[in-house]
Amino acid sequence: MSRKRTAVLISGRGSNMGALISAAMEPSYPAEIALIVSNRPDAKGLERAAEFGIPTAVVDHTGFAGDREAFERAIDAVLREHRIELVTLAGFMRILTPYLVNAWSGRMINIHPALLPSFKGLATHERALDEGVKIHGATVHFVSAEMDDGPIIVQGAVPVLDHDTAETLAARVLEVEHRIYPKALELVATGKTKVTGARVLTGAASESELQLVWPD
Ligand code: GAR
């Protein structure tokens, strides 16, 4: 089995990156984390990646005078240079233009801290509390031209508790993120995902094959 050479794009602490690296340390995992790219030179995740001996690259968006496409061309060049096959966005806080989205169509996935299509954008946990939802969670999806949109691969849900603050809720959701992102990457890397319209079929035929709600 050839493991898919996968890049993780980050902007910050990189805890989801860490979850993907941990999963890929298992030799039978179908993806290999071959490159970490950050748009911020000070991203904490870069140090963590280096500790694991994974190659890192910084493409600083501030160096492109607001030319988003030029920034993305530079990212694309780094990805190609490292012979990357799949791209995972993990807290990569730049809005993408159609340039990069089209270049990696079907090969780029993102994690979002909400049950899409609810709560696209920022401050998802605050908004979930404001709206009074009882179930919140996270989503991994293929990246499309619209922000926080695109066919959904895996979702994970958590209960919202009476005493929750945005911080406690974020922490509960983050644990789920760390479980579902490796699962989603595995599905994509093994070619088990089939996109039909807005849906992604993953071959899961019974509930027990896809645990979606924690705690179970
Ligand atoms: C994660 O919660 C991720 O879902 C979110 O940023 C955080 C990054 O944390 N992404 C977005 O909001 C993208 N729309 P991490 O750097 O520890 O993985």
Side-chain angles (χ1 to χ4, degrees):
M1 178 198 68
S2 84
R3 283 149 58 85
K4 293 270 188 248
R5 290 180 59 79
T6 301
V8 186
L9 271 53
I10 62 169
S11 300
R13 74 189 155 182
S15 73
N16 277 291
M17 173 203 79
L20 294 174
I21 292 172
S22 297
M25 282 164 81
E26 171 66 46
S28 63
Y29 192 75
E32 161 195 2
I33 307 304
L35 176 69
I36 307 299
V37 182
S38 172
N39 66 305
R40 301 183 64 104
D42 59 351
K44 279 270 168 286
L46 286 171
E47 294 162 27
R48 258 179 111 183
E51 283 165 20
F52 283 102
I54 297 173
T56 60
V58 174
V59 182
D60 187 344
H61 65 278
T62 62
F64 293 86
D67 185 343
R68 287 182 184 271
E69 201 175 304
F71 165 66
E72 293 181 2
R73 275 199 300 274
I75 297 227
D76 191 48
V78 176
L79 297 173
R80 287 173 196 281
E81 190 186 311
H82 287 261
R83 294 176 288 108
I84 295 303
E85 301 170 280
L86 294 175
V87 177
T88 57
L89 308 181
F92 184 66
M93 305 309 266
R94 302 303 300 164
I95 291 174
L96 298 181
T97 77
Y99 177 82
L100 202 65
V101 173
N102 291 337
W104 290 89
S105 174
R107 297 179 299 152
M108 183 186 279
I109 64 179
N110 178 49
I111 189 155
H112 181 72
L115 291 172
L116 291 173
S118 292
F119 309 124
K120 296 178 178 182
L122 299 174
T124 56
H125 311 302
E126 285 86 340
R127 286 154 58 213
L129 289 174
D130 287 349
E131 295 289 349
V133 298
K134 294 293 186 197
I135 297 182
H136 186 44
T139 302
V140 182
H141 63 97
F142 283 109
V143 175
S144 71
E146 303 290 318
M147 185 188 66
D148 298 329
D149 202 63
I152 291 170
I153 304 163
V154 179
Q155 292 186 304
V158 300
V160 178
L161 305 177
D162 286 355
H163 54 73
D164 266 330
T165 62
E167 289 69 33
T168 60
L169 190 52
R172 192 173 311 118
V173 170
L174 192 65
E175 281 182 37
V176 165
E177 293 186 42
H178 295 165
R179 290 170 183 241
I180 65 172
Y181 215 173
K183 177 72 194 166
L185 176 58
E186 182 183 342
L187 289 168
V188 174
T190 49
K192 286 202 180 120
T193 48
K194 213 160 115 201
V195 181
T196 63
R199 293 184 72 190
V200 179
L201 308 183
T202 60
S206 69
E207 289 178 42
S208 58
E209 285 174 61
L210 265 188
Q211 188 195 353
L212 298 180
V213 181
W214 289 273
D216 54 345

